[in-house]
Short mmCIF file of all heavy atoms in Angstrom, two decimals:
data_model
loop_
_atom_site.label_atom_id
_atom_site.label_comp_id
_atom_site.label_asym_id
_atom_site.label_seq_id
_atom_site.Cartn_x
_atom_site.Cartn_y
_atom_site.Cartn_z
N GLY A 1236 -30.23 -20.36 -9.16
CA GLY A 1236 -28.82 -20.03 -9.26
C GLY A 1236 -28.53 -18.55 -9.36
O GLY A 1236 -27.51 -18.16 -9.93
N ASP A 1237 -29.43 -17.71 -8.83
CA ASP A 1237 -29.21 -16.26 -8.87
C ASP A 1237 -27.98 -15.89 -8.05
O ASP A 1237 -27.65 -16.54 -7.04
CB ASP A 1237 -30.43 -15.53 -8.32
CG ASP A 1237 -31.62 -15.62 -9.26
OD1 ASP A 1237 -31.40 -15.97 -10.43
OD2 ASP A 1237 -32.75 -15.34 -8.80
N LEU A 1266 -20.28 -7.10 0.93
CA LEU A 1266 -20.30 -5.79 1.57
C LEU A 1266 -19.90 -5.97 3.03
O LEU A 1266 -20.60 -6.64 3.80
CB LEU A 1266 -21.70 -5.17 1.48
CG LEU A 1266 -22.21 -4.88 0.06
CD1 LEU A 1266 -23.70 -4.60 0.08
CD2 LEU A 1266 -21.45 -3.71 -0.55
N GLU A 1281 0.54 -10.49 5.61
CA GLU A 1281 1.20 -11.71 6.05
C GLU A 1281 1.73 -11.57 7.48
O GLU A 1281 1.80 -10.47 8.03
CB GLU A 1281 2.37 -12.04 5.13
CG GLU A 1281 2.02 -12.22 3.68
CD GLU A 1281 3.25 -12.36 2.81
OE1 GLU A 1281 4.10 -11.46 2.84
OE2 GLU A 1281 3.36 -13.38 2.11
N GLN A 1285 5.69 -8.55 3.08
CA GLN A 1285 6.66 -8.48 2.00
C GLN A 1285 7.81 -9.47 2.23
O GLN A 1285 8.98 -9.14 2.08
CB GLN A 1285 7.19 -7.06 1.83
CG GLN A 1285 6.09 -6.03 1.57
CD GLN A 1285 6.60 -4.81 0.85
OE1 GLN A 1285 6.80 -4.82 -0.35
NE2 GLN A 1285 6.80 -3.75 1.60
N TRP A 1299 6.79 -10.60 12.54
CA TRP A 1299 6.65 -9.40 13.35
C TRP A 1299 5.25 -8.80 13.29
O TRP A 1299 4.95 -7.82 13.98
CB TRP A 1299 7.68 -8.35 12.93
CG TRP A 1299 7.60 -7.89 11.51
CD1 TRP A 1299 8.31 -8.40 10.45
CD2 TRP A 1299 6.80 -6.83 10.97
NE1 TRP A 1299 7.99 -7.73 9.29
CE2 TRP A 1299 7.06 -6.75 9.58
CE3 TRP A 1299 5.88 -5.93 11.52
CZ2 TRP A 1299 6.45 -5.83 8.76
CZ3 TRP A 1299 5.27 -5.01 10.70
CH2 TRP A 1299 5.56 -4.96 9.33
N ARG A 1312 -6.70 -13.67 -5.21
CA ARG A 1312 -7.47 -13.17 -6.35
C ARG A 1312 -8.93 -13.57 -6.17
O ARG A 1312 -9.23 -14.74 -5.91
CB ARG A 1312 -6.94 -13.74 -7.66
CG ARG A 1312 -7.69 -13.26 -8.89
CD ARG A 1312 -7.32 -14.06 -10.12
NE ARG A 1312 -7.95 -13.53 -11.32
CZ ARG A 1312 -9.20 -13.75 -11.69
NH1 ARG A 1312 -9.98 -14.53 -10.93
NH2 ARG A 1312 -9.70 -13.24 -12.80
N ALA A 1350 -28.16 -5.68 -4.64
CA ALA A 1350 -26.94 -4.86 -4.58
C ALA A 1350 -26.24 -4.96 -5.93
O ALA A 1350 -26.14 -6.05 -6.51
CB ALA A 1350 -26.02 -5.32 -3.46
N VAL A 1374 2.78 1.43 -10.70
CA VAL A 1374 2.76 2.15 -9.43
C VAL A 1374 3.48 3.48 -9.63
O VAL A 1374 4.61 3.53 -10.11
CB VAL A 1374 3.46 1.33 -8.33
CG1 VAL A 1374 3.57 2.15 -7.05
CG2 VAL A 1374 2.69 0.05 -8.06
N GLY A 1375 2.80 4.58 -9.34
CA GLY A 1375 3.36 5.91 -9.61
C GLY A 1375 3.92 6.57 -8.37
O GLY A 1375 3.96 6.01 -7.28
N GLY A 1376 4.34 7.81 -8.55
CA GLY A 1376 4.86 8.60 -7.44
C GLY A 1376 6.34 8.87 -7.57
O GLY A 1376 7.05 8.24 -8.37
N VAL A 1394 28.45 9.15 3.84
CA VAL A 1394 27.07 9.58 3.97
C VAL A 1394 26.31 8.66 4.91
O VAL A 1394 26.42 7.43 4.83
CB VAL A 1394 26.37 9.59 2.59
CG1 VAL A 1394 24.88 9.86 2.73
CG2 VAL A 1394 27.02 10.62 1.68
N ALA A 1403 1.29 3.59 2.09
CA ALA A 1403 0.70 2.50 2.86
C ALA A 1403 -0.21 1.70 1.94
O ALA A 1403 -0.59 2.15 0.87
CB ALA A 1403 -0.08 3.04 4.06
N PHE A 1434 18.96 23.77 14.99
CA PHE A 1434 20.12 23.79 15.87
C PHE A 1434 21.36 24.28 15.13
O PHE A 1434 22.15 25.08 15.65
CB PHE A 1434 20.37 22.39 16.43
CG PHE A 1434 21.59 22.29 17.29
CD1 PHE A 1434 21.62 22.82 18.57
CD2 PHE A 1434 22.75 21.67 16.82
CE1 PHE A 1434 22.74 22.73 19.36
CE2 PHE A 1434 23.88 21.58 17.59
CZ PHE A 1434 23.88 22.11 18.88
N SER A 1437 21.44 27.96 14.75
CA SER A 1437 21.70 28.70 15.98
C SER A 1437 23.17 28.80 16.33
O SER A 1437 23.56 29.56 17.22
CB SER A 1437 20.94 28.05 17.15
OG SER A 1437 21.52 26.77 17.46
N ALA A 1460 15.96 10.41 2.82
CA ALA A 1460 15.22 10.00 1.64
C ALA A 1460 13.83 9.53 2.05
O ALA A 1460 13.68 8.72 2.98
CB ALA A 1460 15.94 8.87 0.90
N VAL A 1470 9.59 -0.70 -4.15
CA VAL A 1470 9.91 -0.09 -5.44
C VAL A 1470 10.83 1.12 -5.27
O VAL A 1470 11.82 1.28 -6.00
CB VAL A 1470 8.62 0.31 -6.18
CG1 VAL A 1470 8.94 1.15 -7.41
CG2 VAL A 1470 7.84 -0.93 -6.59
N ASN A 1484 21.94 7.97 -17.13
CA ASN A 1484 22.37 8.70 -18.31
C ASN A 1484 21.23 9.60 -18.77
O ASN A 1484 20.18 9.12 -19.19
CB ASN A 1484 22.77 7.74 -19.43
CG ASN A 1484 23.21 8.48 -20.68
OD1 ASN A 1484 23.79 9.56 -20.60
ND2 ASN A 1484 22.93 7.89 -21.84
N GLU A 1486 19.21 11.56 -21.20
CA GLU A 1486 19.10 11.58 -22.65
C GLU A 1486 18.73 12.96 -23.19
O GLU A 1486 19.00 13.27 -24.35
CB GLU A 1486 18.04 10.56 -23.08
CG GLU A 1486 18.36 9.13 -22.67
CD GLU A 1486 17.27 8.16 -23.08
OE1 GLU A 1486 16.48 8.52 -23.98
OE2 GLU A 1486 17.19 7.07 -22.50
N MET A 1504 20.42 15.99 -11.08
CA MET A 1504 21.20 14.78 -11.33
C MET A 1504 22.35 14.64 -10.35
O MET A 1504 23.16 13.73 -10.46
CB MET A 1504 21.74 14.80 -12.76
CG MET A 1504 20.68 14.69 -13.83
SD MET A 1504 19.96 13.03 -13.90
CE MET A 1504 21.36 12.11 -14.55
#
Side-chain angles (χ1 to χ4, degrees):
D1237 289 344
L1266 297 166
E1281 302 172 303
Q1285 303 204 79
W1299 60 266
R1312 180 192 185 280
V1374 174
V1394 173
F1434 177 74
S1437 69
V1470 170
N1484 179 33
E1486 300 178 20
M1504 293 289 290

